[in-house]
Amino acid sequence: MIPRSDSSRIVCIPHTGKSWQALYADTITDPAELLQLLALPDALLDGACKAASQFGLRIPRSYLTRISSGHPDDPLLRQFLPLGDELQESRDYRPDPVGDIDAMPVEGLLHKYKSRVLLIASSACALHCRYCFRRHFPYSDAALSQDKLADAINYIKNDISLKEVILSGGDPLSLSDEKLSSLINQLEQIKHIKRLRIHTRLPVIIPERITAELLNLFAASNLDIVIVLHINHPNEIDDTLKLAIEKTKPYGITLLNQSVLLKGVNDDVNTLAALSEKLFSHGITPYYLHMLDKVSGASHFEVEEKTALALHSALCEQLSGYLVPKLVREEKGKPYKSPLSL
Ligand SMILES: *Cc1c(COP(=O)(O)O)cnc(C)c1O
Ligand code: SF4
């Protein structure tokens, strides 16, 4: 960690000239507007509107530059475009597939695994991923308000077996720096907590979120900081994201990535290999490749287990061992995310 005074040499002028908050606020939520902007067929509109009435469309306008117009199958577009396919009822697909609601000892805090807890620090995300396993989760009820936060902090204080706190959501980086700072300060007071892990997709969608203020906040912390990004496809890594990642380098932050294996997005070995290569060249280590959680509305993204295993072993053949993410599935009641094996 470099001291606060040194960080003034890091120039963090947003690439687009707009603040991250302005970019975050400038979103597309109307399916008709999205179809028009990306020159997509009108035939998609009816399904898009129906799907969006169950889980809203949300995508920052600035993200559209990474998507090629006129291609309904663009792998980035598929991640946030509502489709009529979401309305299909599927056996085994449920609103709370991973048992989150049962794993909350206090509201807003999930304690499933030993030595770490997950705080639902915010209910908001920059974009709505159609496959999100929390798409039906009662976020606004579960996200931490100030009085619930006090209960969560007390729970963490009272369990000395805990070493790590994970901020998740929603997206924890949708919080203002002031709120994050106050949360981090409270966690720093707890002696047995050594690490702060942040699960976030926001810097991928809006790289301008990596500001000097945010980096200073991490640098000033006595906790080890781990950021787990969520990137599914190499096209998501553009020059703006590359610049933002470079700014984190002097701060000694550990950068990992988790992806979800998604049909029509990244279910082929060349895409996954290119993703790993690109991640590593930007200083990000591939961590997990998740099997889709069976959340209702997402069955059209499913990659069968047999196919997933074949893809993973092809990836192992092609890449250095440390470039291969672990292929895992979250199973209700298991003590860790279960690796898939042949
Ligand atoms: C995924 C998850 C974690 C983190 O698991 P790791 O295997 O350590 O990455 C922790 N808590 C909950 C509730 C989770 O869902
Ligand atoms: S960023 Fe994560 S929590 Fe938010 S919608 Fe996407 S998958 Fe869900």
Side-chain angles (χ1 to χ4, degrees), residues 106-109 119 144 148-157:
V106 300
E107 253 180 285
L109 180 137
L119 277 180
L144 288 169
K148 289 184 209 158
L149 179 62
D151 290 347
I153 297 283
N154 265 330
Y155 181 92
I156 300 168
K157 260 187 203 151

Side-chain angles (χ1 to χ4, degrees), residues 170-209:
D171 200 308
L173 292 188
S174 64
L175 296 176
S176 66
D177 290 342
E178 294 71 40
K179 284 207 171 129
L180 274 173
S181 169
S182 145
L183 179 54
I184 295 174
N185 286 339
Q186 293 182 66
L187 295 171
E188 280 170 345
Q189 314 289 321
I190 308 174
K191 281 225 167 60
H192 50 274
I193 297 300
K194 308 293 178 209
R195 284 186 304 280
L196 179 71
R197 190 193 323 178
I198 299 174
H199 281 183
T200 179
R201 186 144 162 75
L202 220 154
V204 181
I205 309 303
I206 304 174
E208 289 81 353
R209 178 66 187 95

Side-chain angles (χ1 to χ4, degrees), residues 110 112-113 116 118 166 197 199 287-288 330 337:
L110 294 168
K112 280 190 188 170
Y113 306 138
R116 56 233 195 259
L118 184 149
I166 302 168
R197 190 193 323 178
H199 281 183
Y287 179 40
Y288 278 146
E330 182 156 357
K337 306 219 191 288

Side-chain angles (χ1 to χ4, degrees), residues 125 127-129 131-132 139 170 201 230:
C125 287
L127 91 168
H128 286 169
C129 309
Y131 53 86
C132 179
Y139 272 137
R201 186 144 162 75
H230 173 178

Side-chain angles (χ1 to χ4, degrees), residues 83-330:
L83 289 178
D85 292 352
E86 293 176 31
L87 308 166
Q88 286 166 15
E89 292 287 330
S90 261
R91 262 189 323 124
D92 310 340
Y93 280 71
R94 291 186 296 269
D96 178 27
V98 294
D100 272 357
I101 291 167
D102 297 339
M104 282 200 284
V106 300
E107 253 180 285
L109 180 137
L110 294 168
H111 192 181
K112 280 190 188 170
Y113 306 138
K114 284 186 180 162
S115 78
R116 56 233 195 259
V117 285
L118 184 149
L119 277 180
I120 299 183
S122 157
S123 57
C125 287
L127 91 168
H128 286 169
C129 309
R130 305 314 299 176
Y131 53 86
C132 179
F133 72 107
R134 293 198 178 122
R135 54 181 281 162
H136 305 288
F137 195 69
Y139 272 137
S140 34
D141 305 342
L144 288 169
S145 59
Q146 282 310 311
D147 52 329
K148 289 184 209 158
L149 179 62
D151 290 347
I153 297 283
N154 265 330
Y155 181 92
I156 300 168
K157 260 187 203 151
N158 290 332
D159 186 344
I160 58 162
S161 71
L162 295 174
K163 294 191 167 52
E164 178 173 354
V165 174
I166 302 168
L167 304 185
S168 183
D171 200 308
L173 292 188
S174 64
L175 296 176
S176 66
D177 290 342
E178 294 71 40
K179 284 207 171 129
L180 274 173
S181 169
S182 145
L183 179 54
I184 295 174
N185 286 339
Q186 293 182 66
L187 295 171
E188 280 170 345
Q189 314 289 321
I190 308 174
K191 281 225 167 60
H192 50 274
I193 297 300
K194 308 293 178 209
R195 284 186 304 280
L196 179 71
R197 190 193 323 178
I198 299 174
H199 281 183
T200 179
R201 186 144 162 75
L202 220 154
V204 181
I205 309 303
I206 304 174
E208 289 81 353
R209 178 66 187 95
I210 305 292
T211 58
E213 293 73 23
L214 182 71
L215 292 171
N216 282 333
L217 209 152
F218 293 152
S221 175
N222 59 16
L223 299 169
D224 287 329
I225 309 282
V226 180
I227 297 182
V228 185
L229 295 167
H230 173 178
I231 304 173
N232 295 317
H233 192 281
N235 292 0
E236 283 177 86
I237 307 174
D238 69 353
D239 285 347
T240 331
L241 180 56
K242 193 175 140 195
L243 283 174
I245 298 295
E246 271 167 14
K247 283 179 205 155
T248 69
K249 291 214 169 123
Y251 292 82
I253 297 168
T254 301
L255 291 177
L256 306 174
N257 184 63
Q258 50 184 346
S259 310
V260 182
L261 184 58
L262 299 165
K263 190 171 174 179
V265 174
N266 57 10
D267 58 335
D268 80 281
V269 68
N270 292 334
T271 304
L272 291 172
L275 174 61
S276 276
E277 291 282 356
K278 206 163 176 185
L279 287 169
F280 189 77
S281 73
H282 296 318
I284 309 166
T285 306
Y287 179 40
Y288 278 146
L289 178 61
H290 293 273
M291 292 296 283
L292 181 72
D293 292 313
K294 296 195 169 187
V295 64
S296 354
S299 62
H300 58 293
F301 284 116
E302 178 167 342
V303 176
E304 275 184 34
E305 185 166 318
K306 216 171 67 194
T307 316
L309 282 166
L311 270 171
H312 195 251
S313 60
L315 204 59
C316 291
E317 267 177 41
Q318 203 157 316
L319 295 177
S320 305
Y322 58 87
L323 292 184
V324 183
K326 289 185 220 174
L327 179 64
V328 292
R329 166 179 289 138
E330 182 156 357

